[in-house]
Amino acid sequence: MTIANKTVLITGASSGIGESSARLLASKGARVVLGARRTDKLKEIVDSIAQDGGQAAYYKLDVTDPQQNKDFVVFAKEQFGSVDVMFLNAGLMPSSPLSALKTDEWNQMVDVNLKGVLNGIAAVLPEFVGQKSGQFITTSSVAGLKAYPNGAVYGATKWAVRDLMEVLRMESAMEGTHIRTATIYPAAIQTELLSTITDPGAKEAMNQTYDSYQITPDRVASVVAFAIDQPEDTNVSEFTIGPTIQPW
């Protein structure tokens, strides 16, 4: 099965990588189900996809709530009859030095970037196991591959996602459930994530980096589509993507 006619659930779908992926996948014949907290944005995207002839629906979703994740999956099945791919894309990046002790932001990152992924896995894994097929795609970060100042907690959540996906892939192979996984490690991609940074020094440094290097999120969307479009017997596990001119 290729992209066409697959039902793809996307968290963090109201902007950036999530929005671009939804638009691209819908244009290739996927049935996309968008989840995020900003329903006004989701409605605009879904209406636009429908006007272009695509199939899409949206659901108000807070990934930190386990029940909402389960309801998201139920909604998708009610809309389109199946669940084939879960793109766990929601994330926060309020970077700061550890010495700033922004512990509330640390907890927010753990709740969204790590627990949010776990909640999504828990919500859809029984479906994938039961049908012996499915695919998880996650948005990690280059901060999930190497350490960066101001990014200790953010990076820790993204390193955790990397391990989760790799173990999930291995366990699925051992259990014969045929679940595929792919983890994406973006560098400077045009995003709203920078708006979550409250530390002045970290914000200035990150803004300078992104202003100098960032590329558009549709570049990542094309990688998401590539991962989904592989034959069912083929797993492509990891993709690092960023601007050619950025020495990340």
Side-chain angles (χ1 to χ4, degrees):
M1 184 188 294
T2 58
I3 291 173
N5 300 316
K6 281 190 173 180
T7 302
V8 182
L9 284 65
I10 304 173
T11 70
S14 60
S15 67
I17 292 170
E19 176 184 353
S20 291
S21 297
R23 292 182 182 278
L24 178 61
L25 295 172
S27 75
K28 293 178 176 291
R31 302 170 298 207
V32 295
V33 186
L34 286 66
R37 292 176 295 178
R38 298 182 296 178
T39 54
D40 55 335
K41 289 284 295 179
L42 294 178
K43 184 177 186 304
E44 289 178 11
I45 298 165
V46 166
D47 287 348
S48 176
I49 289 172
Q51 288 172 7
D52 290 336
Q55 298 182 76
Y58 70 91
Y59 188 86
K60 185 175 183 179
L61 173 66
D62 180 348
V63 298
T64 67
D65 185 327
Q67 187 59 51
Q68 287 190 32
N69 283 268
K70 293 177 183 177
D71 294 342
F72 183 43
V73 175
V74 171
F75 173 78
K77 289 188 68 177
E78 290 173 347
Q79 292 294 308
F80 297 120
S82 65
V83 178
D84 301 297
V85 181
M86 174 69 100
F87 181 19
L88 300 162
N89 172 69
L92 297 173
M93 190 180 66
S95 303
S96 64
L98 288 169
S99 58
L101 293 177
K102 291 183 177 287
T103 55
D104 287 345
E105 293 180 356
W106 299 355
N107 288 322
Q108 288 173 356
M109 282 186 280
V110 170
D111 287 344
V112 174
N113 299 355
L114 179 52
K115 290 183 180 179
V117 170
L118 287 168
N119 289 337
I121 292 172
V124 80
L125 188 56
E127 297 288 335
F128 287 174
V129 169
Q131 65 197 26
K132 291 195 173 182
S133 68
Q135 185 174 26
F136 288 103
I137 301 174
T138 54
T139 302
S140 179
S141 168
V142 290
L145 295 171
K146 59 189 292 187
Y148 292 93
N150 298 329
V153 179
Y154 177 74
T157 64
K158 295 303 186 177
W159 278 82
V161 166
R162 180 189 189 192
D163 184 75
L164 277 173
M165 288 299 101
E166 183 62 1
V167 173
L168 180 55
R169 180 194 64 77
M170 296 171 70
E171 290 180 351
S172 173
M174 294 167 65
E175 295 167 3
T177 50
H178 308 288
I179 297 167
R180 301 189 297 166
T181 69
T183 306
I184 300 173
Y185 307 99
I189 309 295
Q190 194 175 77
T191 178
E192 293 183 353
L193 284 179
L194 274 62
S195 66
T196 66
I197 303 175
T198 62
D199 182 82
K203 190 175 187 68
E204 180 180 2
M206 198 67 75
N207 280 333
Q208 288 178 353
T209 296
Y210 276 69
D211 287 345
S212 299
Y213 301 118
Q214 66 184 354
I215 55 177
T216 52
D218 58 293
R219 306 300 198 261
V220 181
S222 66
V223 174
V224 174
F226 175 83
I228 295 172
D229 206 31
Q230 298 308 298
E232 293 297 319
D233 65 357
T234 302
N235 192 93
V236 284
S237 296
E238 296 185 300
F239 301 90
T240 305
I241 177 171
T244 302
I245 62 171
Q246 182 187 4
W248 71 76

